[in-house]
Amino acid sequence: MIYVSRREHFNAAHKLYNPNWTREKNEEVFGPCANDNWHGHNFEMIVTVKGKPDPETGFVVDLKKLSTLIKERVIEKVDHKNLNLDVDFMQGKMASCENLVEGIWKILAPALKEITDRAVLHSIRLYETPNNFVDFYGEGLEQDTQAVQKEPHLATATV
């Protein structure tokens, strides 16, 4: 199995705040991230796909197509946006990196089929700061299982 990664960048603001809690508890749990006037980050995202190289191109995925897909489906939705207010797939959710990366997975995993039949989404790493990041491998999401069932060569491929 070959793993291919693409890095993308976006800037976004958010606030971590549970409306069921008091202001004091929010500040205790979330600290400055509960700021009434939001706060922002320069996010770095690494999207990794896995699969078997195409014998004609040698590619698991065309990285230009992967970059375009990520930009059109995710970056345009989140870049220079307020994650709490402006991003459709974050509505009704705490705007944590954990929830954000899961929402991004739900967009990219099925969309990847539009650009390749040789690869599936393996992981997304989302850096909120240089020191804080989240890794997500799609565990627990039904579409991850469906992708492997529909692409059985990906589950058993060796290179």
Side-chain angles (χ1 to χ4, degrees):
M1 192 68 58
I2 304 290
Y3 298 81
V4 180
S5 299
R6 174 72 189 183
R7 181 191 321 243
E8 298 290 348
H9 175 87
F10 64 93
N11 302 300
H14 71 149
K15 174 171 61 172
L16 299 177
Y17 193 89
N18 185 329
N20 298 318
W21 294 350
T22 64
R23 174 186 216 112
E24 293 75 26
K25 181 164 183 174
N26 275 288
E27 290 175 356
E28 176 187 331
V29 173
F30 301 121
C33 294
N35 181 2
D36 283 341
N37 294 313
W38 319 95
H39 68 283
H41 297 282
N42 299 314
F43 290 92
E44 291 288 334
M45 180 172 67
I46 300 171
V47 175
T48 302
V49 301
K50 65 182 177 182
K52 222 177 152 177
D54 183 303
E56 293 181 11
T57 65
F59 295 167
V60 170
V61 64
D62 181 328
L63 285 170
K64 286 183 259 171
K65 288 181 180 179
L66 181 60
S67 177
T68 298
L69 182 77
I70 295 167
K71 288 175 183 172
E72 289 177 353
R73 300 296 174 90
V74 176
I75 304 300
E76 289 178 8
K77 289 184 175 198
V78 297
D79 191 33
H80 288 84
K81 300 288 184 354
N82 182 311
L83 299 175
N84 301 77
L85 302 176
D86 302 327
V87 179
D88 60 349
F89 67 88
M90 292 300 292
Q91 294 302 304
K93 299 177 185 167
M94 182 68 72
S96 66
C97 279
E98 292 89 330
N99 286 333
L100 180 58
V101 78
E102 186 174 277
I104 293 169
W105 182 283
K106 289 176 182 177
I107 292 168
L108 290 180
L112 190 60
K113 295 175 186 129
E114 297 172 21
I115 63 167
T116 182
D117 62 352
R118 304 204 61 83
V120 294
L121 190 55
H122 172 70
S123 67
I124 300 173
R125 174 171 280 184
L126 183 64
Y127 285 89
E128 184 179 52
T129 72
N131 297 323
N132 299 331
F133 62 91
V134 197
D135 287 320
F136 189 59
Y137 296 88
E139 289 106 340
L141 295 181
E142 187 175 329
Q143 58 196 26
D144 182 53
T145 304
Q146 291 173 349
V148 171
Q149 289 172 347
K150 289 180 183 174
E151 305 290 344
H153 69 279
L154 296 174
T156 59
T158 56
V159 177

